Amino acid sequence: MGTTNSTASSARSRDGRPPGGASASASLTAGRRDSPAPGGLRRWAPAVACYLFAVALLLATDTPPGDIARYTGYAAWGVLLPGTLVFRALRRRPHTLVEDLVLGAVTGLVLELGAWALLVSLGLQRFAVAWPLLVVVPFLAVPGLRRHWRPAGYRRPAERWSWATAGVVALSSAYYYEVFLARFPILPDSETSRQYGDLPYLLSLAGNAKYNVPPTLPQVSGEPLNYHWFTFVHMAMGDLVGHVDLSVVEMRLMVPALGALGILAVAVVAHRLVGRPWAGPVAALLVFAVGEFTAAYPNNVGSWTFGAPAVRLMSFASLSLTYSQPLLIALIGAAGDPLRRTREGDGGIPSFGRGAYVLAALFALASSAAKASTLPVVLGGLGFAGLMILIGTRRVPWTIVGLGAIVGAAQLFATAAVFDFQSYALEVVPFGNVRGYWADPDGSRPAAVQAGLVAAILVAFVLNHHLKAAGMLPLLWRSRLDLAPVQWFLLGGALAGPAAYLAVNGFNASYFTLAGLPFAALLSAWGYCETFERAALPRRAVLLLAAAAAVLAGALTLALYRYSDDWKAFAARPFDGPAGEPPYVKLLPALVAAAALAGLALAGGLLWRLAGRAVPALRRRGGVVLLTAVLAVGVPATALDVLQARKVHWEGSWILPETQVQAARWVREHSGPRDVLATNSHCWQFEDYADSASCDNYRSYWLSAYSERSVLIEGWAYAPRLMATAAGAVSATTGFWDEALFRRNEEAFYHPTADTLRRLRDDDPRLRYLVVHRKAGAESPRLKDLTKQVFDNGRVAVYELS
């Protein structure tokens, strides 16, 4: 396969000016000439402003200033510095400082995994702050490495590029403030405080990672954790190196920091692969701002209907997703770099050289157990690219074969060493995750109607997640599928994610969709930049286009916010019937809205074409207007998500009283890392149950989370052995697998005897405290005679075994 003719529109006339005198378009897409660049302190102003804005948001949500300072020091010393030095040693020549720092920070995330394994396995956690010296000292002592402290030859991005990228990061920080930081306290501060359900569980894994290599399941002492746990190593290192409480790391610092790193990684990888500086901010905006399209408020499509919501691409709801995104994007950049073709218009961006393969190996290794859905999609992208190049050239693309071997080896490592060959019962069931929408149990629909319904629902799936990919369509059309290898790779990844979701049945298959979206956003930004170049808009037209896009997004947001109920009723009216609401009715608002907007676009296109005959300035510019409008239609999802978060509790949040957390943290302060606890608390929450009533949702994680200690039996719904039998879903109502142990545990609280307590301690000699949650059931009065009561706040009591 050859390359596209994408550089034709960037050709310059003999006097050096872009065709048509389009100065705005040229400044947007220029490759070599990305000046004027700021000098002195001014060049750091966007980064400093962005950082101070994030600090202000953190302070507004009661984040201790000392913790912000310590976390900043940890990020600079424990991640950025060692990672940047190693990245500089691996890449051939410098490109931009921002690229070195961003991809260096991602490299630092990889290095700290090895540092953690060494420190914790040797019991050297107290010396964790010194681990970067393992990198710093060689780079000071070895003459050949000293040059990487002050490399020469950087290009400076344009000041507007820096401010645009910083603006996207600031928008993401504001989004996290609204939907997360301002919604939940760092620690519960009342008896009615609410907490998103998974966060205590994730916090418990980070606490466990401070002391165990590999981590174990804290809720069932000694149970293996065959799960993607690298995220929680990163959290643990924030505590060990930065001395920042894990609750502050989780509830305040980690999410906006990694979200910012992910957006910056998108920007620098887009610049490198596309060859146009402004592809970076465009791709970053696509990743962050363009979300799912449901044409309904509140979002009437369940969180997992078509996969996890796209507006939460880097989200607190799944910390493993938040952590894995920068690693995935960096892996795309490292794997895509050898597939680039140096050509006019790529800005002369130097390749990584052979170091690209080492970087790909590092990023793939870290991605393998950061999020299990990542590497299969990368492999799908490489396999697709290799197949298309083989067909087009009839030559084996050995570069892709080598990259595939690297990624495949990382996948094999994770499958064997981390996941223990568990598939979590995921199985190939074509359309198993969506076919419920077109279910016809009694076979009453005509075949033609059923086929049309299937097609419509698949269109709804594309609309729901993939509007941000619209920019790739003009790229594919104009190239006539004569793509460069790196474009085949991006297209393959964009297709592999949703294809895996549609092919594999299971709750967690939705993350395959999300793994494909960065590929789609990068290729979409490429297509948008080429479309913009061809339009050659003057500066005034650029400003008008941006204003029109903002007005369209704002108008749609307002319309959905105010009139969504009326619109949903209108869209569903032709399908009302006596048999009740068919399952596909929830998708009708989006489908009908898409049809209406497509009709308006067609009419507008015809009018534009007619007007172009009279006004030459309109010719060849309708495409960029249409594409901008399509992308703007996806923006309301993010704004509406913010509005929804202000009015309703996050789906899946529950009451977590302050007194429970106080008790758990008391235990943390009065126990050792190897001590084990026992508890009678096994349920999601007890506010909806009468005293001593049995629960039916075994997701209690508060004790292990805030004590940072393992529990003999707490909540077991997320145990890998159970999720493996439920297609990766939560086994919330399944009983504990060891009935005898569970019976001994309960008897220790409700019918204690000296023999019962002795046998329970025989099950785990490290058992030290019995923690009673009285809403789950009041303990027997005999417990005071057999043990020593050491804590009691009314709701929770703690007894120490002699």
Side-chain angles (χ1 to χ4, degrees):
M1 292 289 175
T3 60
T4 67
N5 57 1
S6 59
T7 58
S9 59
S10 63
R12 296 179 178 271
S13 59
R14 293 182 180 178
D15 63 358
R17 301 179 62 188
S23 57
S25 179
S27 66
L28 178 66
T29 57
R32 291 181 189 277
R33 297 188 179 183
D34 41 14
S35 59
L41 295 177
R42 183 177 168 186
R43 65 185 295 199
W44 298 100
V48 171
C50 197
Y51 173 77
L52 293 178
F53 179 68
V55 169
L57 296 178
L58 290 170
L59 292 175
T61 54
D62 300 320
T63 310
D67 285 341
I68 298 174
R70 283 189 293 271
Y71 190 80
T72 301
Y74 150 71
W77 168 249
V79 177
L80 184 62
L81 177 61
T84 300
L85 291 172
V86 171
F87 175 76
R88 285 172 173 170
L90 292 174
R91 56 107 173 100
R92 178 180 292 167
R93 296 199 309 274
H95 176 219
T96 64
L97 177 59
V98 67
E99 180 180 82
D100 272 12
L101 294 178
V102 170
L103 296 184
V106 182
T107 305
L109 295 179
V110 182
L111 297 178
E112 76 172 356
L113 293 172
W116 163 83
L118 180 66
L119 292 165
V120 177
S121 62
L122 296 178
L124 300 176
Q125 291 95 321
R126 70 180 66 182
F127 303 108
V129 70
W131 88 259
L133 293 175
L134 296 176
V135 175
V136 169
V137 170
F139 275 80
L140 287 173
V142 178
L145 296 177
R146 288 179 195 156
R147 62 187 176 88
H148 296 300
W149 287 94
R150 297 187 65 182
Y154 280 135
R155 298 181 184 182
R156 295 184 183 180
E159 188 172 7
R160 285 174 296 173
W161 186 96
S162 299
W163 279 110
T165 305
V168 180
V169 173
L171 283 174
S172 74
S173 298
Y175 170 78
Y176 289 130
Y177 171 83
E178 288 289 346
V179 303
F180 177 45
L181 303 179
R183 303 276 78 81
F184 302 111
I186 296 173
L187 293 173
D189 52 10
S190 74
E191 294 304 282
T192 58
S193 289
R194 299 190 73 89
Q195 175 69 282
Y196 178 66
D198 281 1
L199 290 178
Y201 172 67
L202 304 179
L203 184 66
S204 74
L205 301 185
N208 189 273
K210 288 169 61 177
Y211 308 109
N212 295 284
V213 179
T216 59
L217 185 70
Q219 291 77 36
V220 184
S221 177
E223 180 74 4
L225 184 66
N226 303 318
Y227 183 68
H228 41 242
W229 43 259
F230 284 6
T231 305
F232 314 108
V233 170
H234 170 66
M235 294 173 63
M237 290 295 279
D239 185 324
L240 296 174
V241 176
H243 301 291
V244 181
D245 190 273
L246 282 178
S247 295
V248 182
V249 172
E250 179 184 59
M251 300 301 296
R252 289 295 179 267
L253 301 170
M254 171 185 173
V255 171
L258 287 176
L261 180 58
I263 288 172
L264 291 169
V266 169
V268 299
V269 168
H271 184 184
R272 168 164 290 275
L273 298 186
V274 178
R276 295 165 172 81
W278 276 89
V282 172
L285 196 61
L286 291 178
V287 165
F288 164 70
V290 181
E292 64 264 33
F293 180 75
T294 62
Y297 173 83
N299 188 343
N300 69 328
V301 179
S303 293
W304 300 97
T305 302
F306 283 150
V311 295
R312 302 167 199 155
L313 185 55
M314 300 173 184
S315 170
F316 75 92
S318 173
L319 294 182
S320 55
L321 178 66
T322 312
Y323 172 77
S324 69
Q325 285 295 302
L327 292 166
L328 169 60
I329 294 160
L331 175 56
I332 295 172
D337 185 73
L339 305 179
R340 292 191 304 129
R341 291 288 184 264
T342 303
R343 61 191 186 278
E344 181 185 359
D346 74 349
I349 299 172
S351 70
F352 289 148
R354 294 181 179 179
Y357 297 93
V358 181
L359 289 169
L362 291 174
F363 299 146
L365 183 65
S367 295
S368 66
K371 196 68 177 175
S373 54
T374 294
L375 293 191
V377 174
V378 177
L379 285 170
L382 289 170
F384 181 81
L387 177 62
M388 299 309 295
I389 293 171
L390 178 62
I391 293 173
T393 65
R394 298 183 181 180
R395 295 179 181 177
V396 176
W398 291 110
T399 298
I400 292 178
V401 171
L403 291 167
I406 290 171
V407 177
Q411 179 65 63
L412 180 60
F413 159 78
T415 302
V418 178
F419 305 132
D420 193 28
F421 296 100
Q422 291 280 355
S423 66
Y424 290 96
L426 294 176
E427 55 183 345
V428 176
V429 180
F431 305 109
N433 292 313
V434 298
R435 63 185 180 185
Y437 279 104
W438 63 67
D440 183 22
D442 55 5
S444 60
R445 294 191 194 112
V449 173
Q450 181 70 358
L453 181 60
V454 170
I457 289 169
L458 294 179
V459 168
F461 169 70
V462 173
L463 289 171
N464 187 254
H465 266 337
H466 296 88
L467 278 181
K468 66 174 83 246
M472 72 171 64
L473 297 178
L475 177 68
L476 300 178
W477 175 264
R478 288 187 61 85
S479 69
R480 301 296 189 268
L481 294 182
D482 181 19
L483 300 180
V486 67
Q487 293 172 325
W488 283 124
F489 171 51
L490 295 177
L491 179 60
L495 295 174
Y501 173 72
L502 294 175
V504 177
N505 188 44
F507 180 79
N508 285 321
S510 58
Y511 285 108
F512 289 123
T513 303
L514 296 186
L517 288 178
F519 290 87
L522 289 166
L523 194 59
S524 184
W526 197 325
Y528 187 87
C529 285
E530 289 199 359
T531 303
F532 196 97
E533 285 181 12
R534 288 191 299 273
L537 297 175
R539 189 179 304 277
R540 183 176 299 178
V542 172
L543 297 176
L544 182 61
L545 180 64
V551 169
L552 175 60
L556 288 174
T557 302
L558 181 62
L560 290 173
Y561 182 69
R562 289 191 174 181
Y563 306 111
S564 180
D565 289 340
D566 294 336
W567 174 252
K568 287 188 289 186
F570 170 79
R573 189 174 303 155
F575 300 90
D576 290 339
E581 184 179 273
Y584 57 78
V585 166
K586 288 185 176 181
L587 308 180
L588 293 175
L591 289 169
V592 176
L597 291 172
L600 289 174
L602 179 61
L606 292 174
L607 291 175
W608 189 283
R609 190 175 186 85
L610 292 173
R613 297 178 179 177
V615 184
L618 297 179
R619 297 172 188 171
R620 300 173 58 87
R621 290 170 174 171
V624 72
V625 174
L626 176 61
L627 181 55
T628 302
V630 170
L631 296 173
V633 167
V635 173
T638 304
L640 292 173
D641 199 52
V642 170
L643 294 173
Q644 188 172 349
R646 290 179 175 179
K647 290 191 172 184
V648 298
H649 293 298
W650 186 267
E651 177 186 355
S653 66
W654 67 63
I655 293 174
L656 182 59
E658 176 185 21
T659 47
Q660 290 179 214
V661 175
Q662 286 177 346
R665 289 172 73 86
W666 183 93
V667 170
R668 186 186 69 172
E669 298 303 319
H670 295 82
S671 64
R674 300 299 175 185
D675 289 335
V676 173
L677 318 176
T679 186
N680 65 331
S681 181
H682 312 297
C683 197
W684 178 294
Q685 68 178 30
F686 288 92
E687 305 310 306
D688 300 328
Y689 295 89
D691 287 346
S692 301
S694 60
C695 72
D696 60 357
N697 194 329
Y698 301 114
R699 285 194 277 185
S700 175
Y701 310 120
W702 64 273
L703 180 57
S704 54
Y706 293 98
S707 70
E708 298 181 15
R709 304 291 180 259
S710 291
V711 183
L712 190 65
I713 305 174
E714 192 182 6
W716 55 85
Y718 285 168
R721 70 163 72 195
L722 291 183
M723 295 186 71
T725 65
V730 178
S731 299
T733 61
T734 303
F736 190 66
W737 54 85
D738 189 336
E739 295 181 3
L741 177 60
F742 183 72
R743 187 165 52 252
R744 289 194 295 273
N745 185 88
E746 299 304 282
E747 287 176 351
F749 293 93
Y750 303 125
H751 308 288
T753 65
D755 183 62
T756 297
L757 296 177
R758 178 188 59 77
R759 287 189 291 125
L760 193 64
R761 196 159 196 174
D762 287 343
D763 290 318
D764 195 325
R766 300 171 299 167
L767 183 62
R768 180 175 178 184
Y769 289 121
L770 303 181
V771 181
V772 181
H773 184 192
R774 290 186 175 131
K775 285 292 286 185
E779 73 275 25
S780 167
R782 292 199 61 197
L783 202 56
K784 284 187 178 180
D785 300 327
L786 297 169
T787 63
K788 177 183 179 182
Q789 188 179 54
V790 292
F791 179 89
D792 191 338
N793 64 10
R795 187 183 185 101
V796 179
V798 180
Y799 296 85
E800 184 174 15
L801 294 176
S802 58

